Structures are given as C-alpha cells and as structure tokens.
C-alpha cells in the first residue's frame, strides 16, 4: 500500500515473504494521507487487488462522512411480508444508507438496489421472485427491472412498477424520447417531458391496464382502452392468407370516437337481381336489361336513387345531413387509382343527341353544378362556396407536363360561333352585401417557407394570344355609368421586401412590360408631400454640376443579339446607364429578366441581367439647372448693361495697380464694378480647368506678345479685386495654380491684363 517510501519497502518485504497471498490491514497515522497516496496496487504488482472482509460483515463506502454504498455479507430478512429473503451479496447504493435503514427498510431488496432517500423505502411492490435484477425506490414509489423466477429455467424478463393504479397518485410506465432541452418547447423531444411514445396506465380497479400509443401527456389525455392510439394511423403489414370464411356473421367497425366495435353483416340476398356480377369481366351492373324483358328486375329505363326516394336522373344521390344527424363532405366521391397509359378521369360526363333523334339539342352542359345557400348567420365570415372545385396535386418525384386544377377547352371544327371560350366565368351580384365580385379569381403560389426546390415561374394569370388579326394576351375593361365609381381595367400590386441594391436590383414590379407601352391618357406618379421624408432643397449648383457630367448619346438597340427583349427598333436619343450610375446612382437599377418557358418547360427566351434608369428622376435636376441658368443669365444681362459705364473707371484703377507691382495685394474698386470684358476669344487666351471646380484649378493663359501681365480675381458683384499673379513675360503659353481653398462656393471672374488690356473668364466653385 502506497503511504510513504519506508512503508513501501516494508510492504514489498511482506509480499515476497508470503509469495502467493497477502492479506492484512493498513492505516495512516491520523488518516491524513497526501495528494499522491492511494489505496491499491501499483503497476508492478502482477496479481489481483482484493477488497475483502473474511468475517461475515458488510463492506461500506463513504463520501463526505456519509455512507453511500453497502455490500451485504451472507444475510436474510423479511421484505414486504415475504420472510427469509436471501440477499447475500446484494449491493445498496443510496444518497444516505443510514437514512435508508432508519426509514424502515431491512436492506437492499434485490441484487442491486438504488435508493433515493428520504421516501425511498417502499416495500409494497416487492415479490419473492424478484432476485436477480435492479430495484429502484424513491418518491414513495418502487420499480424493478430484471428477472422473475417461476421455477428452474422458467424466467421472465420484467419491468415491474408500483404502487398506485388509476388517476390519483397515478404510477405509470412511460417511454419517452428526449433531445436537447428548449425551455420554450411545451411538447416534443425538446420539451421538459420529452416526446412520449408509449404509456401504460393501470386501471383504478387494479385488474387491467391501458396501453396508449402517442404523446398523451402533451395532449392532456389518458388512455382508457386496452389499446388506445392517440393519433396517427394503425397499419397491418400482413393480412391473413387463409381462405375467406363465409360463415362469419360479424365485421369490425370504428365509431366516431375511434373505438373499435363488432357489427353484424347486412342481409345478403344471393338470388337477388338488383345487381348482376360478371366475375370474368370484373363488372357489377344494374338496370342494363331491355325495357319490358326483365320482369320486376331493373331495366334500362330505371333510375337509381341513393338516399333519394324519387330519383330525377339515371343516378341520383341525395344526403340530408340534418335529417340523418351526420354531415358528409361529398355527395358523390370518386377515387381512381391507376398506372395505365392514356388520359384518366375521376368522373366522365358526356351529353350528345340520342341515336337517330331528329330534335336538335338547344342547350347542354357536360357538368352542371350548383351550391346553394352556404354560409353562417353569426360569427366570423369563414364559409366558402364553390360551384366547381378542382384540385390537381403531385406528391411523388415524377415528371408532369401540365398539372391543372380545372381545364376547359372550347373547340370549333365547323359552324358559326360568336364566342368560343376555353372557360367562361361570370360573377354577378343581384342582391346582398358583397365585398368583392370576381369574374375569375386566379392565384399562383409558391409555398412559404420553401421546403425544397423552387418554382421557376409563378403566374397568377398567364394569358397567351396568337395567330389572330388582333391578339390580346390579357384584356381588361372596367366601366360604370356613375362618375364617382372607381374603375380599374387592370390593377396590379407587388408586395414584399424589395432589394434595389442587390444583384438583381428592384425585385417587386406591379407592372413589367417587355415591348412598347401606350397610354392615351395621363401617366401619374405619387408625389404627395405626406408620402415623403428627408425632404431637402436641391442646390442649383449641385444640379448643374451633375448635369454637366452626363453624356447624351444617340444609339440603336442591338436587335440581332437581344431581339427577344422586344426593344424599340427606332433610332434612339438618351443616356447610357453606366455613365448615369457614376453620376446619379439613385437613378440606375439592375434588372434580372428571367428566362421565358413554354408550357412544356422549354426555354424560348434566355434570362438576362442588364441596367435600367429612371428618366423621370432627371426632371428635378433639369428644373434646378434651368433656375441656375436663368439666374446667371439675368445677372449677366445686368452686368453687361453696366460694363460700358464702368470700363473707364476700371482702366484708371488698373493703371494705378500696374504702377505699384508689390505682389499679392487687395485693391478696392467702386461698387458694382466687375472688371470683366467678355468676348469670343476668351477661351483661347484664358482657361480655368476644371470649371466648375471644388478643388484648386489651374489657370491656363496665352501671352500673344511680350509685356507686363497680371492675373486678377473678383466676385460676381465686382468687389474684392485681388491680384493672383503678375510678372513681365515673353510671348507664349503659361499656367498658374490657383489656390481656391479659402473661397466660398459661387461665381467669380478671372481677368488677364496684358499691358492694361483685359481678357475675362468666368469661374464657378461648387460645394463638396
């Protein structure tokens, strides 16, 4: 035993002395071992470690000074009224072994006993044949999992629990499946209880038990039949293969409450003539015999009534839900399962003139339906009424060209027909309070959230017209004789979140027209102030600067490559979206035009991504630019009128300035003196680049002859004349870097003086 080094040597000596067997007792002074001390053999000892008590005494294990485990010696005692129960070698694991005994338990009940104290000593469920297994006691209840002995080699594998049957303090057997816990889940495998799959509920009588399949706890229900299926279906994979038993007189039925019952077979007249079976042809017929040749049996002129005492048709089905106390979902239900080729119909109806008849048919309907007086008189409006309801579904991985809930064809091979309709629908209000009247209501929907795949295209209405002198894919007409009535021949709206900055640009379009669009009336755009926010004035100089960066073009659309887009064929005047995007990105969007498919799913036009622009967005810029131009024109006209009167005074001041060449300085001018002389040769002699500008520009000027020169600048009203540069220069081209950082945005005049002769150019600084 590892205590300290000297003890290890002593122990090894004893082991060598005994050679085959070592028994003894070890203790550490004060029971105060160190972190590396342990009870056991190290990896040098090549023989089993024995924990033993050679006297008939218990072996006990403690933690935190509390007895947690107890291994019995040879021992017998009484449990639950069964005397002399041999429990030798039984093991007890408990929160507190002493509390288990003090609670009245004689000892462990079976080979392994797991006891939760307190309230873990119940003995009422114990039986003497519970020997080799695991007993669990706690919460004043008991359970045993193990073998039940009924005699030598007669053994049951058993789960036994106790002790309260019925609903009060019910002790049940439940099989639950759990996964990661979610405190918000109230049912299912993530809830606190988990998913209950099977529940065994003993009856209050204690004479039977009910087995429930399903999550009864989540449903707040209790199984109350010998086999109780909460929900779902019951399937029998293999039916009996024995020959049919014709002597049985009962069959199994299921009531409205789901309970299975026996019921006698209905009377069967084997010699009756109501129905004629033909086993070879797999037919069961009635009323097929010629009239007058079948006695009292059904003939061809008979009418068959199901629920109808006086049939009005060859087959008349009637059901009075009120009178019979039950409500059916259908008057006639047809369910056809087939794998054969060809076209199949659940119900086929055909009307045609009788063979040899001379009277023509005036009016006929292959199917005529009528739904009458559907609705409720109280509560919310939830009732629905359909004259014809069609549903086509596909739940398997198959390929289908067309799946149509209702399909109609109007076909003419001869005759004179004024209206040929594949489908004709008319919504007519003749009374009552009707919110919406639809001639036809169509809806195409992609399931949300999407579970798998994605529909290529979803159409609420898809209209195709071709081959006629005039063709209308969709034609709408709304009219009213009352002026206050609102009419929309075509009304469309597109909802859901838009993505104007995404790769496809705007994704919601109330109208999308591929080709020319014509409207003889006014086209209106929402512009009410109440619909807008972040309203600010558009600075005129900003509008001018933006317009100056746009590059108008003339062009033709590429019909050879993009003819499928139905682009205009005429010569065009406009802008290029890429240029506009660099100046006014708000007016440009990306467009994704999906591929166009025919009804067979074949692509007839490819998908394409391109840019489009909002030409209407240029109108505010043009208005602001026009205002700026008008203001500039008015100012220039006023200045031109003053120039002739001010020129003499300006020349005198310039002469004085030339006599005092002292570098940068500020000279005062009389008010309203512009110091400019504009002519057509200015651009050749004096240029400011860039212009307009928001960064310091470069002044380019030409000396047509050598002499004294000056560059001056003054504001638009002629004040604050400042000398930018002066020197005596030879004939040639020069440039000067003008520092404009201190200038406020606005219009200025730059003057080049060559021997007192002025050349003037206008400069505009715009805000950043």
């Amino acid at each position: 035993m590892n205590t300290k080094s000297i003890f290890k040597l002593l122990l090894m000596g004893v082991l060598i002395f005994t050679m085959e067997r070592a028994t003894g007792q070890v203790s550490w002074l004060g029971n105060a071992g160190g972190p590396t001390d342990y009870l056991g053999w190290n990896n040098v000892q090549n023989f089993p470690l024995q924990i033993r008590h050679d006297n008939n005494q218990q072996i006990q294990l403690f933690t935190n000074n509390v007895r947690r485990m107890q291994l019995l010696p040879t021992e017998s005692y009484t449990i639950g009224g069964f005397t002399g129960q041999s429990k030798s070698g039984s093991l007890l694991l408990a929160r507190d072994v002493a509390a288990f005994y003090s609670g009245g338990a004689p000892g462990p009940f079976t080979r392994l006993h797991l006891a939760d104290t307190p309230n873990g000593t119940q003995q009422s469920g114990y039986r003497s044949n519970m020997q080799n297994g695991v007993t669990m006691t706690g919460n004043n209840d008991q359970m045993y999992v193990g073998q039940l002995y009924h005699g030598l080699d007669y053994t049951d594998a058993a789960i036994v629990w106790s002790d309260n049957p019925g609903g009060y303090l019910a002790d049940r057997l439940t099989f639950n499946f759990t996964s990661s816990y979610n405190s918000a889940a109230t049912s299912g495998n993530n809830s606190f209880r988990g998913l209950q799959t099977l529940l065994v509920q003993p009856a209050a009588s204690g004479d039977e038990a009910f087995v429930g399949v399903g999550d009864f706890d989540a449903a707040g229900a209790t199984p109350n039949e010998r086999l109780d299926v909460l929900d779902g279906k019951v399937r029998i994979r293999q039916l009996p293969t024995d020959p049919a038993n014709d002597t049985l007189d009962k069959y199994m039925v299921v009531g409205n409450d789901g309970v299975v019952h026996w019921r006698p077979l209905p009377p069967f007249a084997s010699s009756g003539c109501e129905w004629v079976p033909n086993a070879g042809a797999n037919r069961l017929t009635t009323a097929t015999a010629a009239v007058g040749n079948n006695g009292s049996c059904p003939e061809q002129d008979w009418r068959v009534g199901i629920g109808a005492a006086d049939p009005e048709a060859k087959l008349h089905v009637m059901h009075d839900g009120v009178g019979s106390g039950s409500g059916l979902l259908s008057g006639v239900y047809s369910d056809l399962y087939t794998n054969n080729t060809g076209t199949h119909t659940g119900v086929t109806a055909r009307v045609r003139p009788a063979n040899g008849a001379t009277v023509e048919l005036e009016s006929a309907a292959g199917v005529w339906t009528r739904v009458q007086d559907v609705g409720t008189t109280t509560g919310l409006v939830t009732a629905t009424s359909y004259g014809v309801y069609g549903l086509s579904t596909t739940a398997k991985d198959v390929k289908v060209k067309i799946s149509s809930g209702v399909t109609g064809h109007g076909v003419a091979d001869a005759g004179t027909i004024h209206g040929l309709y594949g489908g004709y629908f008319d919504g007519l209000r003749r009374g009552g309070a009707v919110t919406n009247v639809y001639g036809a209501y169509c809806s195409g929907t992609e399931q949300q959230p999407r579970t798998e795949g994605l529909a290529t295209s979803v159409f609420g209405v898809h209209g195709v017209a071709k081959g006629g002198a005039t063709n209308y894919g969709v034609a709408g007409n709304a009219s009213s004789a009352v002026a206050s009535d609102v009419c929309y021949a075509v009304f469309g709206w597109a909802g859901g979140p838009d993505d104007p900055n995404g790769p496809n640009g705007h994704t919601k379009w109330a109208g999308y027209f591929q080709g020319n669009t014509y409207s003889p009336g006014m086209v209106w755009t929402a512009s009410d102030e109440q619909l807008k926010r972040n309203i600010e004035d558009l600075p005129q100089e900003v509008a001018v600067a933006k317009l100056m960066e746009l590059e108008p073009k003339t062009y033709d659309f590429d019909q050879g490559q993009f003819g499928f887009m139905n682009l205009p064929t005429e010569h065009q005047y406009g802008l290029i979206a890429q240029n506009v995007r660099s100046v006014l990105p708000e007016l440009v969007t990306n467009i994704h035009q999906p591929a166009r498919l025919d009804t067979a799913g074949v692509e007839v036009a490819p998908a394409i991504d391109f840019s489009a622009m909002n030409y209407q967005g240029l109108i505010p810029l043009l208005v602001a630019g026009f205002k700026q131009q008008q203001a500039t024109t008015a100012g220039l006209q006023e200045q031109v009128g003053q120039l002739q009167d001010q020129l003499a005074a300006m020349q005198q001041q310039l002469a004085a300035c030339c006599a005092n060449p002292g570098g940068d300085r500020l000279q005062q001018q009389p008010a309203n003196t512009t110091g400019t002389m504009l002519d057509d040769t200015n651009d050749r002699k004096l240029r400011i680049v860039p212009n307009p500008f928001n960064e310091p520009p470069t002044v380019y000027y030409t000396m047509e002859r050598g002499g004294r020169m000056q560059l001056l600048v003054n504001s638009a009203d002629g004040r604050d004349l400042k000398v930018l540069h002066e020197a005596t220069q030879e004939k040639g081209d020069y440039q000067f870097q003008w520092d404009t950082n201190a200038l406020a945005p606005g219009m200025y005049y730059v003057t080049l003086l060559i021997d007192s002769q002025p050349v003037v150019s206008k400069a505009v600084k715009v805000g950043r």
Side-chain angles (χ1 to χ4, degrees):
M1 301 297 180
N2 188 344
T3 55
K4 292 298 180 182
S5 299
I6 189 170
F7 185 74
K8 293 179 181 177
L9 296 175
L10 178 60
L11 179 60
M12 290 180 63
V14 174
L15 291 173
I16 294 172
F17 180 76
T18 58
M19 293 298 291
E20 294 183 356
R21 181 172 180 182
T23 59
Q25 178 176 345
V26 66
S27 176
W28 183 261
L29 184 61
N31 292 322
T36 61
D37 294 323
Y38 62 88
L39 180 65
W41 301 132
N42 59 25
N43 59 3
V44 178
Q45 317 309 320
N46 190 22
F47 44 85
L49 173 67
Q50 298 181 1
I51 300 175
R52 56 187 294 164
H53 197 310
D54 285 352
N55 200 356
N56 192 29
Q57 295 294 325
Q58 303 168 350
I59 294 178
Q60 303 174 345
L61 270 68
F62 289 73
T63 63
N64 198 28
N65 201 27
V66 177
R67 189 175 7 148
R68 309 292 193 186
M69 185 174 75
Q70 184 163 294
L71 179 62
L72 296 189
T74 302
E75 190 170 349
S76 298
Y77 39 81
T78 298
I79 307 174
F82 293 92
T83 60
Q85 299 299 297
S86 175
K87 300 302 173 185
S88 301
S90 294
L91 179 64
L92 172 66
L93 292 176
R95 189 195 305 269
D96 187 338
V97 172
F100 176 76
Y101 279 95
S102 63
F109 296 178
T110 56
R111 195 73 62 226
L112 175 61
H113 190 150
L114 308 179
D116 189 17
T117 55
N119 304 320
T121 62
Q122 186 191 82
Q123 305 177 40
S124 58
Y126 176 81
R127 298 295 185 267
S128 60
N129 59 349
M130 297 178 183
Q131 299 293 326
N132 192 38
V134 180
T135 294
M136 289 160 273
T137 54
N139 199 35
N140 279 342
D141 284 310
Q142 175 186 355
M143 180 178 180
Y144 171 78
V145 180
Q147 296 177 298
L148 293 179
Y149 296 158
H150 303 292
L152 183 60
D153 205 19
Y154 288 90
T155 307
D156 292 336
I159 299 175
V160 183
W161 75 103
S162 58
D163 64 319
N164 298 311
Y168 178 70
L169 298 178
D171 293 318
R172 313 168 307 168
L173 178 62
T174 179
F175 293 81
N176 289 25
F177 174 77
T178 60
S179 186
S180 56
Y181 175 60
N182 181 354
S183 59
T186 59
S187 62
N189 60 267
N190 296 120
S191 65
F192 183 78
R193 286 180 176 270
L195 174 66
Q196 188 177 62
T197 61
L198 187 72
L199 175 64
V200 181
Q201 173 84 45
S205 64
D207 295 329
E208 61 178 337
F210 307 127
V211 177
V213 179
D215 197 338
F216 279 81
D217 286 350
T222 301
N224 53 18
E225 298 292 343
R226 187 58 58 90
L227 177 61
D228 195 334
V229 180
L230 179 65
D231 49 21
K233 299 179 179 179
V234 176
R235 173 177 292 179
I236 300 175
R237 295 283 184 172
Q238 180 65 52
L239 293 174
T241 58
D242 299 336
N245 191 326
D246 297 333
T247 63
L248 298 179
D249 58 0
K250 291 184 174 62
Y251 63 101
M252 188 171 67
V253 296
V254 179
N256 293 333
D257 57 357
V259 177
V260 177
H261 305 275
W262 288 110
R263 183 173 179 177
L265 287 172
F268 179 75
S270 59
S271 60
C273 60
E274 291 83 2
W275 293 95
V276 179
N278 185 341
N282 296 326
R283 300 288 189 271
L284 180 65
T285 60
T286 188
T288 60
V291 176
N293 295 326
N294 206 28
S296 61
C297 290
E299 298 177 340
Q300 291 181 354
D301 62 345
W302 280 39
R303 302 176 183 181
V304 178
I306 301 177
D310 186 13
E312 299 179 8
K314 189 66 174 181
L315 175 62
H316 187 160
V317 179
M318 187 183 74
H319 175 75
D320 187 348
V322 177
S324 64
S326 63
L328 294 178
L329 296 180
S330 302
V332 175
Y333 185 93
S334 173
D335 201 350
L336 174 67
Y337 292 82
T338 178
N339 291 326
N340 295 330
T341 59
T343 301
H344 308 282
T345 57
V347 175
T348 299
R350 182 169 62 176
V351 179
R352 56 184 174 176
N355 293 329
T358 58
V359 179
E360 298 180 352
L361 285 175
E362 181 179 355
S363 178
V367 175
W368 192 94
T369 67
R370 180 175 182 176
V371 180
Q372 183 173 345
D373 297 336
V374 173
T376 58
T377 58
T378 60
L380 298 176
V381 180
T382 58
T384 56
S385 177
Y386 305 100
V388 174
Y389 181 89
L391 176 65
S392 175
T393 65
T394 303
K396 294 183 178 181
D397 187 12
V398 296
K399 299 183 183 299
V400 181
K401 179 179 179 180
I402 297 176
S403 179
S404 174
V406 175
T407 299
H409 294 279
V411 180
D413 293 321
T416 301
I417 301 174
H418 297 288
L420 184 64
Y421 304 97
Y424 183 90
F425 306 94
D426 183 17
L428 174 63
R429 189 197 76 85
R430 294 190 295 200
V434 180
T435 304
N436 298 303
V437 177
Y438 299 98
Y441 180 90
C442 305
S443 173
T445 304
E446 166 74 27
Q447 175 177 292
Q448 301 290 340
R450 296 166 179 160
T451 56
E452 61 177 86
L454 178 63
T456 304
S457 300
V458 178
F459 300 94
V461 174
H462 185 180
V464 177
K466 56 186 178 181
T470 303
N471 303 281
Y472 303 92
V474 175
N477 178 22
S479 62
S480 173
V482 181
S484 60
D485 289 349
V486 180
C487 298
Y488 304 99
V490 176
F491 185 92
W493 69 92
D498 199 6
D499 187 20
N501 298 318
N504 296 331
H506 289 287
T507 57
K508 306 299 183 292
W509 302 92
Y512 189 105
F513 305 97
Q514 189 176 326
N516 295 328
T517 303
Y518 168 76
S519 173
M522 305 290 287
V523 178
W524 301 88
T525 300
S527 188
D528 196 301
E529 183 177 15
Q530 68 177 333
L531 305 177
K532 304 177 181 180
R533 59 188 181 91
N534 302 328
I535 300 175
E536 298 179 359
D537 291 334
L538 175 61
Q540 296 176 1
E541 60 273 12
V542 173
V544 171
K546 297 288 187 184
L547 291 173
M548 293 295 292
E549 294 185 60
L550 297 179
E551 301 176 3
K553 305 287 184 181
T554 67
Y555 55 88
D556 295 296
F557 284 107
D558 187 348
Q559 302 294 337
Q561 185 175 359
F562 302 107
F564 65 90
M565 296 178 66
N566 297 322
L567 298 168
T569 57
E570 299 83 1
H571 190 64
Q572 301 293 311
Y573 299 88
L575 299 169
I576 304 301
Q578 285 73 11
N579 168 236
V580 178
R581 189 192 299 275
S582 66
V583 181
L584 297 164
E586 304 88 348
L587 300 186
V588 179
T589 187
N590 296 325
I591 300 290
H592 174 75
Q593 182 171 298
R596 210 163 61 241
L597 310 177
D598 63 14
T599 56
V602 178
E603 182 178 278
V604 296
I608 184 173
D609 296 286
F610 57 95
S611 297
M613 68 166 290
N614 172 19
Y615 275 92
Q616 277 191 330
L618 293 175
I619 295 176
L621 296 169
L622 295 172
V623 172
F626 178 76
K627 286 186 174 182
Q628 171 76 357
Q629 185 182 53
Q630 289 298 98
T632 301
T633 301
L636 290 175
Q637 289 174 344
E638 182 180 358
Q639 291 174 12
V640 170
Q642 297 172 354
L643 282 177
Q644 299 299 325
D645 297 335
Q646 297 170 349
L647 182 58
M650 178 181 176
Q651 289 176 336
Q652 293 176 0
Q653 187 178 23
L654 291 174
C657 181
C658 293
N660 182 23
D664 286 355
R665 61 200 182 282
L666 188 64
Q667 299 292 335
Q668 296 296 324
Q669 283 186 282
N672 299 323
T673 300
T674 64
T676 61
M677 181 67 72
L678 301 174
D679 59 38
D680 295 337
T681 63
N682 284 4
D683 288 342
R684 297 193 300 271
K685 298 178 181 179
L686 180 62
R687 294 181 297 117
I688 296 94
V689 179
N691 190 16
F693 57 86
N694 56 21
E695 299 290 343
T698 301
V699 181
Y700 297 90
Y701 61 93
T702 300
M703 295 286 292
E704 294 184 340
R705 63 183 182 278
R708 184 73 177 175
M709 60 77 59
Q710 288 181 310
L711 282 176
L712 305 98
V713 63
N714 63 294
S715 59
D717 57 6
R719 293 180 296 177
D720 297 332
L721 182 65
K722 183 176 182 180
V723 178
L724 297 178
H725 177 61
E726 62 181 347
T728 299
Q729 295 178 323
E730 297 297 328
K731 178 180 178 181
D733 296 326
Y734 297 89
Q735 65 183 51
F736 174 77
Q737 193 67 33
W738 180 15
D739 184 4
T740 59
N741 290 319
L743 292 182
M747 187 169 64
Y748 297 88
Y749 292 94
V750 177
T751 303
L752 169 65
L753 288 176
I754 303 175
D755 293 336
S756 301
Q757 295 298 316
V759 178
V760 182
S761 182
K762 183 174 66 174
V764 177
K765 181 176 181 179
V766 297
R768 294 180 185 276

